Amino acid sequence: MDLGLKGKVVFVAAASKGLGHAVARGFAEEGATVVICSRSEANVTAAAKEIARATGAEVLPVVADVATADGCRRFVRAGLDRFKRMDVMVVNAGGPPPGRFEDLDESKWDTAYEVTLKSAVRLTDLAIPELRKTKGNLLYSTSTTVRMPTAYVTLILSNALRAAVHGMLKTLSKDLAKDGIRVNALQPGRIQTERIEVLDTDSAKRTGRPIEEVRKDWHAMIPLGRYGDPKEYAAAAVFLASERASFITGVSLQVDGGMLPANW
Ligand SMILES: NC(=O)c1ccc[n+]([C@@H]2O[C@H](COP(=O)([O-])OP(=O)(O)OC[C@H]3O[C@@H](n4cnc5c(N)ncnc54)[C@H](OP(=O)(O)O)[C@@H]3O)[C@@H](O)[C@H]2O)c1
């Protein structure tokens, strides 16, 4: 299937590692030009080189912290200066730290608000005028916790703020349809990345159990019996943002091996 992504310019935030990296590579494999960012120059440059080498695509690395207004602007401006257009914006950021409510003081909430909600607001704000010109689309990477937060009692920062992102994107999907802009989201469940390693290590420490047991418990909750591969996540992202998904907007698709037990 030709996904119609050749020659498109795709911005993927927080993409030196993990889900963002896999998503950026997925678009590059389909012939898109990719703009990626992360906070570390070494990480983002290495990621861009690796994706370019593997796919032959043009990949622009930008050093930018999306938790700041300046970082979001720098990311978008660098890509537009170089490629003069934006067809897709993938909104993504690092996850807030784990912790129960009583582990967290107000400053942790403030930081998480900037990383998770404000980054999404700012990247959306910068992307909309460009996507109006190209009839492009917004794709948010959120979490299955927007549907079922209760399995993650130690992720209260993420659970609270991602729900806000979800409310924003769902509302936007209706509002921006008149401009030909589609707005969708992907919900990762447990996709094997460094972030999941950090969370499983944290759970192991809190419960005094070996990390293998923590993983085994998660695998048992996932009907497909394993964590996802970032490539499997990327495949869903690439499809949703492609021309082949032209009648899909306002959707939030879980990529979780069947973990969510809900009807919808
Ligand atoms: N993996 C999963 O199954 C899963 C499930 C649910 C939700 N999520 C969420 O999805 C997001 C990505 O997860 P992941 O598993 O890919 O995490 P990861 O493996 O920790 O990778 C995070 C990436 O984001 C970059 N980054 C972090 N903070 C940033 C910032 N403020 N500005 C710019 N770049 C930033 C990091 O690069 P630098 O260090 O170089 O900045 C790295 O490239 C997180 O919010 C996570 O909580 C993941």
Side-chain angles (χ1 to χ4, degrees):
M1 190 193 293
D2 177 7
L3 295 175
L5 286 164
K6 285 188 190 67
K8 303 282 188 198
V9 179
V10 178
F11 288 63
V12 186
S16 66
K17 293 182 184 172
L19 303 181
H21 179 273
V23 167
R25 181 167 170 157
F27 281 107
E29 283 169 357
E30 292 302 320
T33 296
V34 182
V35 185
I36 62 173
C37 78
S38 93
R39 296 162 303 179
S40 147
E41 182 162 14
N43 289 353
V44 77
T45 307
K49 278 196 186 133
E50 187 231 306
I51 296 170
R53 202 169 37 240
T55 64
E58 197 168 352
V59 185
L60 177 67
V62 183
V63 181
D65 180 348
V66 296
T68 67
D70 181 55
C72 291
R73 267 196 302 269
R74 186 140 25 87
F75 171 44
V76 171
R77 181 48 47 209
L80 291 176
D81 283 351
R82 176 80 160 266
F83 302 116
K84 316 292 179 214
R85 62 183 286 138
M86 176 192 294
D87 296 280
V88 179
M89 167 61 85
V90 180
V91 176
N92 181 42
R100 288 189 152 82
F101 186 82
E102 286 165 80
D103 301 335
L104 306 163
D105 60 23
E106 203 176 321
S107 73
K108 293 265 186 351
W109 281 92
D110 291 343
T111 305
Y113 171 71
E114 296 291 331
V115 176
T116 303
L117 178 58
K118 285 297 283 296
S119 67
V121 171
R122 287 168 174 146
L123 291 172
T124 301
D125 188 41
L126 291 161
I128 287 173
E130 303 307 319
L131 297 175
R132 275 206 177 100
K133 295 179 204 158
T134 57
K135 306 248 177 290
N137 66 89
L138 280 157
L139 183 65
Y140 295 80
S141 188
T142 63
S143 169
T144 48
T145 61
V146 301
R147 288 211 175 117
M148 199 186 73
T150 45
Y152 296 87
V153 293
T154 60
L155 279 181
I156 192 160
L157 290 172
S158 172
N159 294 351
L161 293 161
R162 283 190 210 286
V165 174
H166 188 75
M168 178 184 82
L169 74 91
K170 186 66 187 166
T171 312
L172 264 178
S173 69
K174 174 120 199 253
D175 201 13
L176 294 179
K178 64 181 182 324
D179 300 323
I181 300 176
R182 296 185 299 112
V183 181
N184 292 300
L186 282 180
Q187 303 169 15
R190 305 289 288 189
I191 313 289
Q192 186 63 64
T193 64
E194 279 182 23
R195 166 79 173 168
I196 292 299
E197 213 49 32
V198 167
L199 296 183
D200 286 351
T201 304
D202 180 72
S203 296
K205 243 192 248 153
R206 281 173 196 273
T207 55
R209 293 183 316 148
I211 191 167
E212 295 72 28
E213 274 184 27
V214 171
R215 283 198 201 106
K216 231 160 107 190
D217 284 356
W218 278 109
H219 291 177
M221 272 193 265
I222 300 170
L224 288 179
R226 61 177 174 85
Y227 286 167
D229 185 305
K231 284 188 198 139
E232 296 174 298
Y233 188 75
V238 166
F239 171 71
L240 270 186
S242 79
E243 286 180 2
R244 298 289 81 79
S246 51
F247 200 51
I248 301 179
T249 195
V251 153
S252 186
L253 175 72
Q254 67 254 34
V255 183
D256 68 349
M259 185 174 71
L260 278 194
N263 256 348
W264 48 272

